[in-house]
């Protein structure tokens, strides 16, 4: 996914993961090289701003990245780690 985004020269993206794609999106945002920035994370020059997971399940990946600085965008914004 990251290689395709870089090839297409996308710099800022919002990702939607449906079913198995939800696991792919989770793997992208928990990538070991992911760096938190205001409004999302940056991985290899690609900023992921929003993530939507639909009809999927959570899987804890072996990664040191902790998305403490990411927030869910709704009226009562809370840290993603607490959702």
């Amino acid at each position: 996914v990251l290689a395709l985004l870089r090839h297409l020269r996308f710099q800022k993206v919002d990702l939607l993961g449906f079913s198995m794609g939800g696991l792919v999106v989770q793997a992208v945002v928990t990538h070991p090289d992911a760096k938190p920035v205001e409004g999302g994370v940056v991985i290899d020059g690609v900023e992921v701003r929003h993530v939507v997971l639909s009809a999927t399940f959570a899987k804890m990946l072996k990664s040191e990245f902790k998305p403490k600085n990411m927030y869910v965008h709704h009226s009562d914004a809370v840290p993603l780690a607490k959702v």
Side-chain angles (χ1 to χ4, degrees):
V1 172
L2 291 172
L4 175 61
L5 293 172
R6 282 192 310 271
H7 177 75
L8 295 174
R9 298 182 184 179
F10 284 115
Q11 295 177 347
K12 294 183 180 183
V13 297
D14 302 318
L15 297 177
L16 165 69
F18 179 80
S19 190
M20 185 72 114
L23 293 176
V24 174
V25 169
Q26 291 176 69
V28 169
V29 297
T30 59
H31 191 279
D33 294 334
K35 305 278 188 276
V37 295
E38 185 176 337
V41 296
V42 173
I43 310 122
D44 294 333
V46 177
E47 181 180 346
V48 179
R49 298 176 300 183
H50 299 98
V51 171
V52 176
L53 302 175
S54 178
T56 191
F57 54 95
K59 179 178 180 182
M60 296 302 296
L61 301 174
K62 294 180 180 179
S63 172
E64 294 181 15
F65 176 71
K66 306 292 184 211
K68 294 177 185 175
N69 296 328
M70 293 180 64
Y71 287 87
V72 176
H73 294 279
H74 57 75
S75 60
D76 298 319
V78 295
L80 183 62
K82 294 182 181 178
V83 173

